[in-house]
Coordinates of all heavy atoms in Angstrom, one line a residue:
T434 N -5.2 -27.7 4.8 CA -6.6 -28.4 4.5 C -6.8 -29.4 5.6 O -5.8 -29.8 6.2 CB -6.6 -29.0 3.1 OG1 -5.8 -30.1 3.1 CG2 -6.2 -28.0 2.1
K598 N -14.1 10.0 -23.7 CA -13.4 9.8 -25.0 C -12.1 9.4 -24.7 O -11.4 10.0 -23.8 CB -13.4 11.2 -25.8 CG -13.1 11.0 -27.2 CD -13.1 12.4 -27.9 CE -11.7 13.0 -27.8 NZ -11.8 14.4 -28.1
T665 N -5.1 2.3 -5.4 CA -4.8 2.0 -6.8 C -4.1 3.2 -7.4 O -3.2 3.0 -8.2 CB -6.2 1.9 -7.5 OG1 -7.0 1.0 -6.8 CG2 -6.0 1.5 -8.9
R668 N -0.5 2.7 -6.9 CA 0.0 1.7 -7.8 C 0.2 2.4 -9.2 O 1.3 2.2 -9.8 CB -0.9 0.5 -7.9 CG -0.4 -0.5 -8.9 CD -1.2 -1.8 -8.7 NE -2.6 -1.7 -9.1 CZ -3.1 -1.6 -10.2 NH1 -2.4 -1.6 -11.3 NH2 -4.4 -1.5 -10.4

Side-chain angles (χ1 to χ4, degrees):
T434 67
K598 197 178 87 198
T665 309
R668 177 168 62 75

